[in-house]
Amino acid sequence: MEKKLTPEHVKLATLDCQGLIHSTPFGTGKTAVLNAVEHLGYIQIDTLSIVERAHHHTLWTRIPDFQTDYLEELVEDRKVFEYWFHAASYLPMQDFRYVLPQMLTIKRGESRYYNADPKVMEYVMDTIRNEGPKRARDFENESHKAGSWWNWKPAKLALERLFMQGDLMISGRSGMQKTYDLAERVLLSFIDTTEPTPLEFAEYLVKTNLRAYGLTTVKQITHLRKGNDLKKNVNTVLKTMLDKGEISQVKIEGLSSAFIRNDVFEKTFDLKDSNIHLLSPFDNSIIHRDRIRQIFDFDFRLECYTPKEKRQYGYFCLPILYGDQFIGRVDCKAHRKEKKLELIHLHIENNTLDIELWLKPFAETIKRFAVFNGCESLTLTKVSPSKLNAPVKKELSGLKFKK
């Protein structure tokens, strides 16, 4: 029998499980970063640097004292590793075995991607085995040899293929420069490297989603993953958990049948402080666009991939979360040489909300975000609706940055 949830409970449960209600949900320091990655299941990596990159932004949102070095240190500590979730991500090392099915699929040649030259792959492997960890740029000079039958691009493709099929792992990173080493030299001896059965893999996906979101659907669990067998196994796992009384099936308006952890269903929430969060477009909490639209009535789309003339809000908008409501979005750009954060377009969509409630915490969050991006000043270009222009500019102009 399906249980019913109020919309407010669904919102708060989701935000609580995502670490977006309390100020330090995962603790502080580097330990908090590991706690966050293990709880959320993954942190998406992105190469766009309009503002601080997505993997750092997502963690900064939940960890007030976050430092960008923490992730690199955790990779070097062998506590997290890089691979693919639904996109390039940081993953907990404790979950390593669950990437093996994809690695082995690619190794068997069942993917049309990463079609590298076997001879180049062999050369790259031998070089790293004999000379130690390498970056892609370390192979650049090879292209200048007269009569060379390969150049840097095939070597880079070989690195990616060897990484995706699990022969190489990323042992370190400096910014977006990755260092590759043999997987056997990266994996510690106690890491489980047994390939999960299809049912075990489905159980991993189900439990990861339930831990990170509190409630979920089959569609969200299998997001960007194909195959009827996977869907069948996910349904089998959910039925088993239902029979054991670990989860409940709930009815939520606008969603297909959803499943919720019983402890989340029974929990009460007290949202005393309505903090403002500026979320990365790749934040775990909004990566399922239909989920955000259905639960929070917020239609979000990243428009950097949309032709300029068709953009509605801007190139790189950050959703603005106030308490349990998405009240708008702001198109930002960090001008790092000038140490200036530009708010290209602040668009507030919840016009029924009193500006006195959200403006001051918004200004303080924007200031923190500017500092996080290495900026010492703000500029505001446009505000919608226009009636908010004067009060917003006045509040932001009063912010003081340390010299």
Side-chain angles (χ1 to χ4, degrees), residues 169-224:
M169 291 182 69
I170 294 169
S171 60
R173 178 190 278 268
S174 178
M176 297 308 290
Q177 279 286 334
K178 298 175 283 191
T179 300
Y180 298 86
D181 199 359
L182 302 182
E184 63 206 54
R185 295 201 292 234
V186 174
L187 291 170
L188 299 176
S189 59
F190 58 82
I191 300 299
D192 188 350
T193 57
T194 57
E195 184 182 4
T197 65
L199 197 60
E200 286 176 327
F201 181 71
E203 183 179 26
Y204 155 73
L205 291 180
V206 169
K207 291 187 174 179
T208 296
N209 270 266
L210 286 168
R211 183 178 65 247
Y213 296 101
L215 67 155
T216 189
T217 65
V218 173
K219 182 180 179 181
Q220 288 156 13
I221 293 167
T222 57
H223 180 59
L224 297 181

Side-chain angles (χ1 to χ4, degrees), residues 355 359 383 385-397:
I355 190 172
L359 183 52
V383 181
S386 58
K387 67 179 182 180
L388 299 177
N389 187 62
V392 171
K393 283 191 172 180
K394 181 180 179 181
E395 187 68 38
L396 294 183
S397 65

Side-chain angles (χ1 to χ4, degrees), residues 23-171:
S23 58
T24 55
F26 302 111
T28 58
K30 189 165 72 171
T31 300
V33 177
L34 179 58
N35 291 341
V37 176
E38 290 182 343
H39 177 83
L40 297 172
Y42 75 96
I43 298 291
Q44 184 170 336
I45 300 170
D46 197 71
T47 58
L48 295 173
S49 59
I50 310 303
V51 293
E52 184 60 68
R53 298 185 195 277
H55 40 289
H56 293 147
H57 185 171
T58 298
L59 289 163
W60 172 83
T61 300
R62 295 159 173 83
I63 303 167
D65 64 345
F66 174 75
Q67 296 179 28
T68 56
D69 291 344
Y70 289 156
L71 266 176
E72 292 165 17
E73 290 174 10
L74 286 169
V75 171
E76 293 169 2
D77 295 341
R78 309 301 189 242
K79 297 290 181 65
V80 304
F81 71 104
E82 293 188 36
Y83 196 66
W84 207 261
F85 192 72
H86 66 262
S89 302
Y90 286 99
L91 298 142
M93 189 62 84
Q94 65 184 21
D95 291 343
F96 176 78
R97 67 187 294 247
Y98 298 105
V99 304
L100 287 171
Q102 184 169 349
M103 286 180 173
L104 294 173
T105 295
I106 293 171
K107 193 162 190 172
R108 289 190 291 260
E110 296 172 23
S111 170
R112 60 188 176 89
Y113 300 106
Y114 313 105
N115 190 24
D117 188 311
K119 291 183 179 179
V120 181
M121 290 169 62
E122 183 179 0
Y123 174 84
V124 167
M125 282 292 289
D126 287 344
T127 301
I128 292 175
R129 182 179 292 109
N130 295 326
E131 299 180 14
K134 296 287 183 183
R135 299 164 298 175
R137 65 189 299 178
D138 294 327
F139 292 92
E140 284 179 353
N141 290 337
E142 298 293 336
S143 64
H144 302 305
K145 290 182 178 179
S148 176
W149 51 270
W150 64 280
N151 57 34
W152 177 63
K153 285 186 178 179
K156 190 172 187 299
L157 186 60
L159 282 168
E160 285 298 312
R161 170 65 187 256
L162 290 164
F163 165 71
M164 288 301 295
Q165 69 182 33
D167 291 314
L168 296 180
M169 291 182 69
I170 294 169
S171 60

Side-chain angles (χ1 to χ4, degrees), residues 57 60-61 276-280 283 318-321 330 332 362 365-366 369:
H57 185 171
W60 172 83
T61 300
I276 292 273
H277 289 300
L278 300 177
L279 300 179
S280 165
D283 193 284
L318 312 181
I320 305 170
L321 177 65
V330 57
C332 293
F362 172 77
T365 299
I366 280 289
F369 189 66

